[in-house]
Amino acid sequence: MTVTHLRWGSDALSLLISHAPAEPVRLLAAGEAMSLPDPLSEPELCRRLAHRALPLVEVQTAGTGRLGTSGKRHVDGAAARALRYVGHEEDQDGSVQHLRVRMADEDTGLRVTAVYTLRAGVPVLGSEAYVENAGAEPVTLEFVSSFAVSNLARHLPDGDRWEDGLSLWTAANPWCGEFRWAHATLAQRGLYDVGMVPYGQTGSKNRIAVTSTGSWSSSEYLPSGCLEETTTGRALLWQIEHNGSWHAELSDRFDDVCLVLGGPNDREHQWRRRLDPGDSFRTVPVAVALVPSGGVEAALGAMTLHRRAGRRQHPDHQGLPVVFNDFMNSLMGEPTTKALLPLVDAAAAAGAEVFCVDAGWYDAEQPGAVGPGGVPGWWDAVGVWAESAARFPGGLGEIVDRIREAGMVPGLWLEPEVVGVRSPIAATLPDEAFFRRDGVRLAEWGRHQLDLRHPSARAHLDSVVDRLVHDYGVGYLKLDYNIDIGPGTDSPGPGSSPGDGLLGHNRAHLDWLDGVLDRHPALVLESCAAGGSRTDHAILSRLPIHSVTDQQDFRLLPAIAAAAPTAVPPEQGAIWAYPLPEHGDAELGMVMVSAMLGRIHLSGRPDLLTPQQAALVREAIDTYKTYRHLLPDARPRWPLGLPGWRDGWIALALTTSDRTEDGTTLLAVWRRDGAPKAVDVPLPWAPEGARPRMLFGTGPQAAHDWDGRARILRVTLPAEPSALLIALGRSR
């Protein structure tokens, strides 16, 4: 049998693909160019890789299922095995390379195209797939992979078992405890070589699966993971770039390991897509970083480059204004003219540049009213988004004018995707504008979910945003989202799957966001979903700033703030800083430092601080403004490891490129209750001749000592809890 091989990519990341007349197209290997086998000099190795490799795109359809295996994993789809190579195209658009591999099943008319993308200098592969029904009969898709790769254990030393030589990193993402990365070997996660391959079996039939169902894309786990070789540090990090349901799974196959990534599917998400003749479907995009050494930290550095390169450009990415928001440990959803005016003055005095009036500004209920379930009285009545005359006797414009006179940009909180069950909008819009099941409009926690595929739903939201921008001149909107509507909607009619309805809405939501920014290009839109419950690149690639958490305890916040750059570039990650009168100097230092390597979201009660406390807050913000221009190019590092939830010492470093400030390192170090008073922080990347200097810190006898030869910084913080912010760079 004649086998043809295709090598594509760059020195940083390349693919080796094979195809033959009687076989599906397969991805044999992916990685840096020098690590790929040569089919001419290593034909036997390439044959073994082909035997283990999955088809380029895994496809499962109703009526065909899988072949040669069973169980829950999404491999060996009969429809995928029937696809044959048709052709491929390579092109380049500036610094971006594209590869399109076309495949078809001539018997059924199913056509599939795998699309790969690479940016110059970035070892991250973009991947998605297109499916078209060119046949005469309908086809129902049940699963289509966005990316599939095998032979992930091929670099392990001889004698090492893949179950012990490979570790999997995943990140639990609970509300108010986001970015909880942890790793374990595949064996520790329950995937073993069960010894059945010599008996003609493919493997264990098991998998390690991480999945998310519903409209909160990251409420349980981040849509990311990393497979790492424990001895070499070679790593593959993925992110599924979707704002809805997704699925990732690792499994064993012919004494090796494979990875399959995708969006919603039938088994996990109630998704099916019927393709009538001529219809097509596009998978959700994914990105995969591959690094030869450095482990998860190096892979996260590569993914940070990808996230920046692939997002919509916005002036906020460079300006990084300090935002004051009146919610967190402040007014907590009870804004009034009387309460806001002193906060506006105090925020301006502290150095804030944006003032966002958070939830409650539209509340016509009695101040302090509580509804069923302990939520505010307005909770199930939202949707009109008009100011409350009771809360603002002189009109909301009085507050907006005061904000502008104080030199700040006015902003408002909005939860656009929901309509309260008591809202007049719930009766005004047609049923088709909402999520439904079996004709019944869905309700979750007193809210209906708008379906942004429907013109009236989108027209309603467009009118709300345009009115707020026009009538009040707001330059900032915080877009929150506090429900998870579940698997989806079966609108527009019988036969529609809920998962496909949700996918359609997810894509319409992104299109709506693009439309808002097209009309108002200077408007800053903040992404929020009960804190970090929608931390995905689909949203982050469009909105310039992202609220990472709702955590109210400043002693718990450092573990979140330090880990946030694993998913959100520092210049997009909004961290709360909520100074309160009861905070001592060292505590105030921790409150402020937690936000100073991201986007400062000032809150708390700056209007009630003593002059000394207010001066410390102002000092922190003034200091932040001296270096914030470095954040958009900085790479995150974790010199004490990715932070554990209860770690006593936590450290986050941001290192600038060699072209900026001679390779400056910005280092935040936190000491929490019960930790020893000193810690050694290794900074092996620091340039020769580097010297540390304290940027900001409060509390008694804080100190640091630099061992330039060993590249170790010893930090001493006698007070607990407390924190320091240090800059390390070459002496001038």
Side-chain angles (χ1 to χ4, degrees):
M1 180 174 63
T2 302
V3 179
T4 303
H5 294 90
L6 167 66
R7 292 175 70 103
W8 175 85
S10 65
D11 289 341
L13 197 160
S14 293
L15 307 180
L16 178 62
I17 295 169
S18 73
H19 60 88
E23 294 289 336
V25 187
R26 303 182 191 275
L27 175 58
L28 304 191
E32 66 279 12
M34 66 182 65
S35 72
L36 298 186
D38 185 338
L40 295 178
S41 60
E42 302 173 88
E44 181 56 36
L45 172 59
C46 288
R47 279 193 289 272
R48 290 200 306 271
L49 295 177
H51 173 67
R52 297 168 175 170
L54 295 171
L56 205 59
V57 180
E58 271 291 349
V59 183
Q60 295 163 24
T61 63
T64 61
R66 290 166 292 167
L67 295 173
T69 188
S70 191
K72 296 178 175 59
R73 58 192 192 173
H74 295 285
V75 296
D76 294 313
R81 286 194 180 187
L83 296 172
R84 298 293 180 264
Y85 174 84
V86 173
H88 75 274
E89 295 84 36
E90 303 177 43
D91 61 65
Q92 187 152 346
D93 181 9
S95 62
V96 182
Q97 297 174 252
H98 301 281
L99 171 66
R100 298 173 182 85
V101 181
R102 294 180 286 111
M103 300 159 281
D105 178 352
E106 297 301 336
D107 291 336
T108 65
L110 196 67
R111 299 186 179 277
V112 178
T113 302
V115 181
Y116 300 110
T117 304
L118 275 174
R119 295 180 184 273
V122 181
V124 177
L125 180 74
S127 179
E128 57 186 331
Y130 293 82
V131 182
E132 178 187 2
N133 182 8
E137 300 295 330
V139 174
T140 298
L141 302 176
E142 293 184 338
F143 177 87
V144 184
S145 66
S146 298
F147 180 70
V149 64
S150 308
N151 296 306
L152 294 176
R154 72 184 185 89
H155 288 289
L156 292 175
D158 290 341
D160 281 13
R161 294 187 180 275
W162 52 259
E163 63 201 46
D164 299 315
L166 294 174
S167 288
L168 175 63
W169 291 83
T170 55
N173 204 58
W175 180 65
C176 293
E178 291 84 354
F179 317 115
R180 299 299 94 224
W181 287 86
H183 70 102
T185 66
L186 299 190
Q188 290 167 333
R189 290 183 179 268
L191 192 65
Y192 297 88
D193 176 3
V194 296
M196 292 298 292
V197 172
Y199 298 95
Q201 302 297 321
T202 58
S204 71
K205 304 185 189 299
N206 282 14
R207 64 179 183 173
I208 302 169
V210 186
T211 195
S212 179
T213 301
S215 52
W216 274 352
S217 60
S218 61
S219 62
E220 295 180 311
Y221 283 86
L222 289 179
S224 301
C226 184
L227 189 68
E228 181 179 357
E229 291 180 5
T230 54
T231 56
T232 67
R234 183 186 299 272
L236 181 156
L237 173 79
W238 70 85
Q239 68 176 18
I240 301 173
E241 301 178 341
H242 180 51
N243 53 328
S245 298
W246 53 266
H247 180 76
E249 68 178 44
L250 281 161
S251 58
D252 64 304
R253 195 169 183 275
F254 297 120
D255 287 331
D256 214 294
V257 176
C258 58
L259 170 69
V260 177
L261 307 172
N265 63 73
D266 182 46
R267 185 174 293 116
E268 278 81 18
H269 310 108
Q270 302 180 36
W271 176 89
R272 292 175 303 284
R273 170 67 69 87
R274 174 187 166 103
L275 296 184
D276 288 324
D279 286 350
S280 62
F281 170 71
R282 174 174 57 91
T283 68
V284 306
V286 305
V288 179
L290 287 149
V291 296
S293 61
V296 65
E297 183 176 292
L300 286 167
M303 192 64 77
T304 300
L305 294 175
H306 166 78
R307 291 164 182 160
R308 287 169 171 155
R311 68 191 176 193
R312 181 184 182 121
Q313 295 304 301
H314 195 285
D316 184 76
H317 290 144
Q318 301 300 321
L320 312 191
V322 175
V323 177
F324 184 90
N325 181 295
D326 67 39
F327 185 81
M328 190 58 69
N329 292 342
S330 186
L331 302 185
M332 299 297 292
E334 296 288 351
T336 63
T337 299
K338 182 178 179 181
L340 283 168
L341 288 176
L343 279 175
V344 170
D345 294 341
E353 295 152 304
V354 175
F355 191 104
C356 183
V357 180
D358 206 272
W361 59 270
Y362 41 78
D363 182 12
E365 308 280 338
Q366 188 70 21
V370 178
V375 294
W378 50 259
W379 185 265
D380 59 359
V382 296
V384 176
W385 308 112
E387 68 182 77
S388 167
R391 291 179 176 274
F392 306 103
L396 182 59
E398 178 184 357
I399 297 297
V400 171
D401 289 344
R402 184 68 164 266
I403 293 169
R404 197 173 286 112
E405 290 165 3
M408 297 181 289
V409 174
L412 290 174
W413 179 95
L414 196 64
E415 195 170 359
E417 298 160 72
V418 301
V419 171
V421 297
R422 293 194 296 118
S423 172
I425 300 299
T428 302
L429 293 178
D431 277 345
E432 293 80 8
F434 297 93
F435 274 41
R436 295 179 298 162
R437 297 275 190 88
D438 296 329
V440 177
R441 190 184 297 186
L442 299 186
E444 176 71 11
W445 204 4
R447 275 98 176 276
H448 298 306
Q449 168 78 49
L450 286 172
D451 188 338
L452 290 181
R453 297 174 298 173
H454 197 276
S456 63
R458 181 160 176 164
H460 163 62
L461 294 191
D462 283 341
S463 67
V464 168
V465 171
D466 294 349
R467 171 172 51 83
L468 296 178
V469 172
H470 178 267
D471 291 357
Y472 298 108
V474 298
Y476 190 102
L477 287 175
K478 177 177 179 177
L479 304 183
D480 208 344
Y481 181 60
N482 287 298
I483 65 167
D484 187 336
I485 201 59
T489 173
D490 59 16
S491 292
S496 299
S497 69
D500 199 48
L502 176 61
L503 176 61
H505 162 76
N506 294 145
R507 288 172 163 166
H509 176 224
L510 298 177
D511 186 63
W512 175 72
L513 293 173
D514 285 334
V516 171
L517 290 170
D518 288 343
R519 295 196 309 278
H520 308 288
L523 181 66
V524 177
L525 298 181
E526 176 191 336
S527 162
C528 183
S533 295
R534 198 158 59 185
T535 302
D536 60 71
H537 187 66
I539 295 292
L540 286 167
S541 67
R542 288 163 171 84
L543 303 193
I545 188 167
H546 177 72
S547 180
V548 303
T549 188
D550 282 345
Q551 178 55 248
Q552 291 182 252
D553 189 334
F554 76 96
R555 294 161 297 189
L556 296 175
L557 189 58
I560 300 170
T566 60
V568 187
E571 68 276 14
Q572 287 183 269
I575 312 291
W576 291 108
Y578 27 63
L580 298 171
E582 59 264 32
H583 290 151
D585 285 357
E587 293 172 325
L588 269 179
M590 176 173 277
V591 166
M592 298 307 299
V593 168
S594 292
M596 291 175 72
L597 290 188
R599 295 295 298 277
I600 295 180
H601 265 202
L602 188 64
S603 194
R605 294 308 302 262
D607 56 321
L608 302 181
L609 301 180
T610 67
Q612 179 183 353
Q613 290 174 317
L616 287 174
V617 172
R618 179 70 196 223
E619 179 189 349
I621 292 175
D622 286 347
T623 300
Y624 175 77
K625 292 177 180 178
T626 67
Y627 64 79
R628 62 181 169 183
H629 65 282
L630 301 177
L631 269 58
D633 293 316
R635 169 186 171 176
R637 299 176 185 263
W638 294 270
L640 298 180
L642 291 173
W645 185 239
R646 301 293 178 186
D647 285 356
W649 283 96
I650 292 172
L652 169 64
L654 299 182
T655 60
T656 65
S657 67
D658 292 338
R659 297 176 288 102
T660 308
E661 294 288 314
D662 291 330
T664 297
T665 291
L666 301 168
L667 175 69
V669 184
W670 294 265
R671 180 194 179 194
R672 300 204 286 181
D673 291 344
K677 70 177 184 178
V679 67
D680 290 335
V681 182
L683 304 171
W685 60 82
E688 186 176 352
R691 293 289 184 271
R693 60 187 175 91
M694 187 183 301
L695 289 176
F696 179 77
T698 59
Q701 299 177 325
H704 56 81
D705 182 56
W706 175 241
D707 183 340
R709 177 172 296 180
R711 306 289 206 282
I712 292 175
L713 183 71
R714 186 168 184 80
V715 176
T716 302
L717 293 174
E720 55 179 58
S722 56
L724 277 182
L725 183 65
I726 293 167
L728 189 77
R730 292 188 180 94
S731 300
R732 291 182 178 275

